[in-house]
Amino acid sequence: MRKIIWMMSASLDGFMEGPDHEIDWHLVDEELHRHFNDKVRAMGGILHGRVTWELMAEFWPTADQDPACSDFEAEFAPIWRDTPKYVFSHTLREAQWNTTIMREVVPEEIRALKESAAGDLCVGGADLAASFLRLGLIDEIHTYVHPVVLGRGKSMFQARDVRADLRLAGTHTFGNGVVQLRHELTN
């Protein structure tokens, strides 16, 4: 059975972005980027909110054409372009690069998408993940904890009204100090 995996980078104190939406504290070096390349390459689809999709669409469609781009960044560009993407938005009118616009998170539609996907589905973004979490649609959470304390910003967990019981399924420490925590939802 395919899984829906929420993948998110977070500070040690649980923020996915700083108070001014900054993510300059993310320590994405070659090792971590290649890890992300491998994870996303194996996915059957990526589920984005509009803001995340627009950020990705600003850079990745042509990143491999930029001579200043590293080889591991250039490797990700076609992975992102070719992987089926689903963007959840009420305002977006069109989307390119193998992207389908979805207006609402409808559990039956998500379950059908999960069954028909060529691999696991990856959900990104705190707000979209909160909707999925509330509806019981997330199977695993992969948190990439960066060795920084921000003190404030946007919390990774926006579904404060939801309790999710988890089981630690694995950890991995990267050379730059980022620690991946893989949790399975048990309820």
Side-chain angles (χ1 to χ4, degrees):
M1 176 63 128
R2 304 288 183 216
K3 298 177 196 166
I4 295 179
I5 301 169
W6 177 17
M7 292 175 55
M8 181 64 69
S9 286
S11 64
L12 184 61
D13 53 347
F15 296 106
M16 53 150 289
E17 63 183 33
D20 297 317
H21 310 289
E22 68 273 14
I23 58 170
D24 59 343
W25 48 271
H26 285 193
L27 298 175
V28 183
D29 62 2
E30 180 175 354
E31 178 191 18
L32 185 55
H33 208 296
R34 289 195 187 279
H35 167 83
F36 288 139
N37 291 357
D38 292 342
K39 294 293 278 184
V40 176
R41 183 184 294 113
M43 292 289 168
I46 305 170
L47 309 165
H48 285 307
R50 181 193 51 81
V51 172
T52 303
W53 185 86
E54 286 177 340
L55 286 171
M56 299 294 278
E58 280 180 28
F59 182 73
W60 291 113
T62 59
D64 53 346
Q65 297 168 21
D66 182 349
C69 208
S70 68
D71 64 330
F72 52 90
E73 289 170 320
E75 179 185 321
F76 186 74
I79 295 169
W80 187 84
R81 282 192 308 261
D82 296 344
T83 300
K85 289 167 287 303
Y86 304 87
V87 60
F88 292 82
S89 172
H90 295 286
T91 59
L92 198 62
R93 296 291 164 229
E94 63 180 41
Q96 300 171 333
W97 306 289
N98 204 14
T99 303
T100 301
I101 298 172
M102 300 181 82
R103 300 292 175 207
E104 301 287 336
V105 178
V106 178
E108 296 77 23
E109 291 176 6
I110 302 303
R111 287 184 192 101
L113 183 61
K114 182 178 164 180
E115 281 188 29
S116 66
D120 293 338
L121 298 174
C122 172
V123 111
D127 295 322
L128 182 61
S131 295
F132 274 66
L133 198 56
R134 280 187 189 98
L135 295 168
L137 296 171
I138 294 180
D139 300 299
E140 292 186 9
I141 300 173
H142 295 191
T143 310
Y144 294 83
V145 181
H146 292 250
V148 62
V149 173
L150 298 177
R152 58 193 178 103
K154 184 170 188 173
S155 174
M156 178 177 165
F157 291 96
Q158 296 295 306
R160 289 175 174 76
D161 55 336
V162 173
R163 176 182 170 146
D165 293 325
L166 309 171
R167 183 186 75 74
L168 184 63
T171 64
H172 180 83
T173 303
F174 295 90
N176 62 6
V178 171
V179 176
Q180 178 201 35
L181 304 172
R182 291 185 305 109
H183 288 93
E184 295 173 344
L185 276 79
T186 60
N187 57 344

